[in-house]
Amino acid sequence: MTEKLQLSQSDRKKVWWRSQFLQGSWNYERMQNMGWAYALIPALKKLYTTKEDRAAALERHMEFFNTHPYVAAPIIGVTLALEEEKASGTPVEDKAIQGVKIGMMGPLAGIGDPVFWFTVRPILGALGASLASAGNILGPIIFFVGWNLIRMSFLWYTQELGYKSGKEITKDMSGGILKDITKGASILGMFILAVLVQRWVSINFTVNLPGKQLAEGAYINFPEGPVTGGELKGILGQALSGLSLDSVQPQTLQGQLNSLIPGLMGLLLTFLCMWLLKKKVSPIAIILALFAVGIAARFFGIM
């Protein structure tokens, strides 16, 4: 009977460190497969002693693999557990290992975007940008340290979770828990996105509209000729009380929009970009179009 082999914590930490570079050799044919194989090399060297066994193990991990780079960690953990079993003599087929990887990478990929790209990163980015815009050096430091601390801790602990749970984690992830996590993260991500739209998307129209004639008593009637001290005092009092200095109140398109719904145009622009992305319009084309429209609107005095 083959001796039971086991990866030490040091071995698993080497894999964890290498997994930071999962997308370092991303390619269009098999996507993250080279980064995946690179991450597993320390474990494969520990588990397999002959050149032939190591080559075979490396070859089976050069197959197609692609998921969110951070949620790949629990898949790595499960794979380490399966490789341990195979190296110890358990009849684990290569197809079974690849099947577990493929079965997990799809559902887990749906969690990565709403949790990391749409929630954690925007929150830290908004916090850091707010501090940096006020001239506080802690802004970029908080973003850099906070993001990497969360990211690297998540990678380590979820890799350990996958390793300790082994193949059983695939059963847990296929139930309703995965759907609940994805739904909750998506809702939170949309909430954060709405906050960021109001804060960072700004559209200001410079178009002037016809002035509004004010009713008698809503503006100051300036006396003709020299003004006495008492009259000047009365005029200043009327101005401080909110009376207009002119009988015609200037109006702008932006002012009318702000009185209707502040930030409406920024929200509509965001919805337009989301709709275009849904229609498979290239993000580069959208960015270039926004530049062109902005330059033209500025040239013609619309914005």
Side-chain angles (χ1 to χ4, degrees), residues 221-253:
N221 281 313
F222 290 96
E224 297 181 1
V227 178
T228 64
E231 290 175 330
L232 179 59
K233 184 177 180 180
I235 292 172
L236 293 175
Q238 290 177 328
L240 292 174
S241 67
L243 294 184
S244 174
L245 298 178
D246 201 326
S247 61
V248 177
Q249 183 182 29
Q251 294 191 105
T252 63
L253 176 59

Coordinates of all heavy atoms in Angstrom, one line a residue, residues 221-253:
N221 N -37.3 97.2 -5.8 CA -37.5 98.4 -6.6 C -36.5 99.5 -6.2 O -36.6 100.0 -5.1 CB -38.9 98.9 -6.4 CG -39.9 98.2 -7.2 OD1 -39.7 97.9 -8.4 ND2 -41.0 97.8 -6.5
F222 N -35.4 99.7 -7.0 CA -34.4 100.6 -6.6 C -34.9 102.0 -6.9 O -35.5 102.3 -8.0 CB -33.1 100.4 -7.4 CG -32.4 99.1 -7.1 CD1 -32.6 97.9 -7.8 CD2 -31.5 99.1 -6.0 CE1 -32.0 96.7 -7.4 CE2 -30.9 97.9 -5.6 CZ -31.1 96.7 -6.3
P223 N -34.7 102.9 -6.0 CA -35.1 104.3 -6.2 C -34.3 105.0 -7.2 O -33.1 104.7 -7.4 CB -35.0 104.9 -4.8 CG -34.0 104.1 -4.1 CD -34.1 102.7 -4.6
E224 N -34.8 106.0 -7.9 CA -34.0 106.7 -8.9 C -33.3 107.9 -8.2 O -33.8 108.4 -7.2 CB -34.9 107.2 -10.0 CG -35.6 106.1 -10.8 CD -36.5 106.7 -11.9 OE1 -36.5 107.9 -12.1 OE2 -37.1 105.9 -12.7
G225 N -32.2 108.2 -8.7 CA -31.5 109.3 -8.1 C -30.6 108.9 -6.9 O -30.4 107.7 -6.6
P226 N -30.1 109.9 -6.2 CA -29.3 109.6 -5.0 C -30.1 108.8 -4.0 O -31.3 108.9 -3.8 CB -28.9 111.0 -4.5 CG -29.1 111.9 -5.6 CD -30.2 111.4 -6.4
V227 N -29.3 107.9 -3.2 CA -29.9 107.1 -2.2 C -29.4 107.5 -0.9 O -28.3 107.7 -0.6 CB -29.5 105.6 -2.4 CG1 -30.1 104.7 -1.4 CG2 -30.0 105.1 -3.8
T228 N -30.4 107.7 0.0 CA -30.0 108.1 1.4 C -29.6 106.9 2.2 O -29.7 105.8 1.8 CB -31.2 108.8 2.1 OG1 -32.3 107.8 2.2 CG2 -31.8 109.9 1.3
G229 N -29.0 107.2 3.4 CA -28.6 106.1 4.2 C -29.7 105.2 4.6 O -29.5 103.9 4.7
G230 N -30.9 105.7 4.9 CA -32.0 104.9 5.3 C -32.5 104.0 4.2 O -32.8 102.8 4.4
E231 N -32.5 104.6 3.0 CA -32.9 103.8 1.8 C -31.9 102.7 1.5 O -32.3 101.5 1.2 CB -33.1 104.7 0.6 CG -34.2 105.7 0.7 CD -34.3 106.6 -0.5 OE1 -33.2 107.0 -1.0 OE2 -35.4 107.0 -0.9
L232 N -30.6 103.0 1.7 CA -29.6 102.0 1.4 C -29.8 100.8 2.4 O -29.6 99.6 2.1 CB -28.2 102.6 1.5 CG -27.0 101.6 1.3 CD1 -27.1 101.0 0.0 CD2 -25.7 102.4 1.5
K233 N -30.0 101.2 3.7 CA -30.2 100.2 4.7 C -31.4 99.3 4.4 O -31.4 98.1 4.6 CB -30.4 100.9 6.1 CG -30.6 99.9 7.2 CD -30.7 100.7 8.5 CE -30.8 99.7 9.7 NZ -31.0 100.4 11.0
G234 N -32.5 99.9 3.9 CA -33.7 99.1 3.5 C -33.4 98.2 2.3 O -33.9 97.1 2.3
I235 N -32.6 98.7 1.3 CA -32.3 97.9 0.2 C -31.5 96.6 0.6 O -31.7 95.5 0.2 CB -31.5 98.7 -0.9 CG1 -32.4 99.8 -1.5 CG2 -30.9 97.8 -2.0 CD1 -31.7 100.7 -2.4
L236 N -30.5 96.9 1.5 CA -29.7 95.8 2.0 C -30.5 94.8 2.7 O -30.3 93.6 2.6 CB -28.5 96.3 2.8 CG -27.5 97.1 2.1 CD1 -26.4 97.7 3.1 CD2 -26.8 96.3 1.1
G237 N -31.5 95.3 3.5 CA -32.4 94.4 4.3 C -33.2 93.5 3.3 O -33.4 92.3 3.6
Q238 N -33.7 94.1 2.2 CA -34.5 93.4 1.3 C -33.7 92.3 0.6 O -34.1 91.2 0.3 CB -35.1 94.3 0.2 CG -36.2 95.2 0.8 CD -36.7 96.2 -0.3 OE1 -36.0 96.6 -1.1 NE2 -38.0 96.6 -0.2
A239 N -32.4 92.7 0.2 CA -31.5 91.7 -0.4 C -31.2 90.5 0.5 O -31.2 89.4 0.1 CB -30.2 92.4 -0.9
L240 N -31.0 90.8 1.8 CA -30.7 89.8 2.7 C -31.9 88.9 3.0 O -31.8 87.7 3.3 CB -30.2 90.3 4.1 CG -28.8 91.0 4.0 CD1 -28.5 91.7 5.3 CD2 -27.7 90.0 3.7
S241 N -33.1 89.4 2.8 CA -34.3 88.7 3.0 C -34.6 87.7 1.8 O -35.6 86.9 1.9 CB -35.5 89.6 3.3 OG -35.8 90.3 2.1
G242 N -33.9 87.9 0.7 CA -34.0 87.0 -0.4 C -34.7 87.6 -1.6 O -34.9 86.8 -2.6
L243 N -35.0 88.8 -1.6 CA -35.6 89.5 -2.8 C -34.5 89.5 -3.9 O -33.3 89.7 -3.7 CB -36.1 90.8 -2.5 CG -37.3 90.9 -1.5 CD1 -37.7 92.4 -1.4 CD2 -38.4 90.0 -1.9
S244 N -35.0 89.4 -5.2 CA -34.1 89.4 -6.3 C -33.7 90.8 -6.6 O -34.4 91.8 -6.3 CB -34.8 88.8 -7.5 OG -34.1 89.0 -8.7
L245 N -32.5 91.0 -7.2 CA -32.0 92.3 -7.5 C -32.5 92.8 -8.9 O -32.4 93.9 -9.2 CB -30.5 92.3 -7.6 CG -29.7 91.9 -6.3 CD1 -28.2 91.9 -6.5 CD2 -30.1 92.9 -5.2
D246 N -33.2 91.9 -9.6 CA -33.7 92.2 -10.9 C -35.1 91.7 -11.0 O -35.5 90.7 -10.4 CB -32.8 91.6 -12.0 CG -32.9 92.3 -13.4 OD1 -34.1 92.7 -13.6 OD2 -32.0 92.3 -14.1
S247 N -35.9 92.3 -11.9 CA -37.3 91.9 -12.1 C -37.4 90.6 -12.9 O -38.4 90.0 -13.0 CB -38.1 93.0 -12.7 OG -37.5 93.3 -14.0
V248 N -36.3 90.3 -13.6 CA -36.3 89.1 -14.5 C -35.3 88.1 -13.9 O -34.1 88.4 -13.7 CB -35.9 89.4 -15.9 CG1 -35.8 88.1 -16.7 CG2 -36.9 90.3 -16.5
Q249 N -35.7 86.9 -13.5 CA -34.9 85.9 -13.0 C -34.2 85.0 -14.0 O -34.9 84.4 -14.8 CB -35.6 85.0 -12.0 CG -34.8 83.9 -11.3 CD -35.6 83.1 -10.4 OE1 -36.8 82.8 -10.7 NE2 -35.0 82.6 -9.3
P250 N -32.9 85.0 -14.1 CA -32.2 84.2 -15.2 C -32.5 82.7 -14.9 O -32.6 82.2 -13.8 CB -30.7 84.5 -15.0 CG -30.7 85.7 -14.2 CD -31.9 85.7 -13.3
Q251 N -32.7 81.9 -16.0 CA -32.9 80.5 -15.9 C -32.0 79.7 -16.8 O -31.7 80.2 -17.9 CB -34.4 80.2 -16.3 CG -35.4 80.7 -15.3 CD -36.8 80.2 -15.6 OE1 -37.3 79.3 -14.8 NE2 -37.4 80.6 -16.6
T252 N -31.5 78.6 -16.3 CA -30.6 77.7 -17.1 C -31.3 76.3 -17.2 O -32.1 75.9 -16.4 CB -29.2 77.6 -16.5 OG1 -29.4 77.0 -15.2 CG2 -28.6 79.0 -16.4
L253 N -30.9 75.6 -18.2 CA -31.3 74.2 -18.4 C -30.9 73.4 -17.2 O -31.7 72.6 -16.7 CB -30.8 73.7 -19.7 CG -31.1 72.2 -20.0 CD1 -32.6 72.0 -20.0 CD2 -30.5 71.7 -21.3

